[in-house]
Amino acid sequence: LGASHLADALRTNGTLQSLDLSSNVIGAEGGAAIADALTKDNSTLTSLDLGNTQLCGVTLFGSGTYSAQAVTSFVEMLEANTTLRRLGLFLNGIHHATGGVALGEALRGPNRTLAAIQLDGRPRQGPATLELAKIRGSDPADSLSLAALGLGPVSACVIGALLRANRHTKSL
């Protein structure tokens, strides 16, 4: 309920540029509402952190029921939003076979505004940030280091999707 009100505010707010909601219980429905607000109605928010907010309905300890509702909404948002530059979705129990693949495909699409995404990480060390332009190849680099980032299967799906279009990087 609270996240729905926040989503309504995002639809009409014309000044907010950064929003950190990490470590709050947003849930799948709340995450979907926020993503929907960013799909077409918000043109100022450039940074959104939803890390550890139970977007998939599951806690860090695995309790709850998995839902892909929020991830599906964020995939749709990534295809349409041209303002958001940083997105934190780490520690949300995103399933790699469904959510990771879908996010990777969306990030391969025409949206080049999103510069960084956080999908995995370690609870005590924080999120791993993927710099999308380098992985995608739109900011050419001969080599790219992904060492010691705490990447998991969701990040691997996204990296795999983006590397398919990368014609510059020769060393990982």
Side-chain angles (χ1 to χ4, degrees), residues 32-118:
I34 290 170
D36 183 59
L38 297 177
T39 299
K40 51 189 172 285
D41 299 319
N42 185 287
S43 62
T44 58
L45 195 69
T46 58
S47 178
L48 176 62
D49 188 347
L50 291 171
N52 188 22
T53 55
Q54 299 179 24
L55 288 181
C56 293
V58 180
T59 70
L60 283 176
F61 305 106
S63 62
T65 303
Y66 184 83
S67 169
Q69 178 184 8
V71 175
T72 301
S73 296
F74 274 99
V75 166
E76 293 169 5
M77 182 274 295
L78 288 171
E79 293 171 349
N81 183 288
T82 57
T83 308
L84 200 63
R85 298 200 32 81
R86 299 188 71 77
L87 178 60
L89 298 176
F90 61 96
L91 297 177
N92 274 302
I94 298 172
H95 192 271
H96 62 280
T98 53
V101 171
L103 285 167
E105 291 304 314
L107 292 170
R108 276 186 57 201
N111 183 340
R112 295 292 186 253
T113 308
L114 193 70
I117 192 166
Q118 296 169 321

Side-chain angles (χ1 to χ4, degrees), residues 115-171:
I117 192 166
Q118 296 169 321
L119 297 169
D120 299 305
R122 299 179 185 126
R124 292 193 176 127
Q125 294 178 339
T129 301
L130 299 179
E131 300 297 334
L132 299 175
K134 294 198 181 306
I135 299 169
R136 190 184 283 127
S138 53
D139 180 8
D142 285 338
S143 68
L144 180 62
S145 175
L146 301 173
L149 291 178
L151 301 176
V154 176
S155 290
C157 290
V158 169
I159 292 167
L162 295 177
L163 283 177
R164 284 196 297 250
N166 184 325
R167 302 291 179 244
H168 302 283
T169 303
K170 297 175 181 135
S171 174

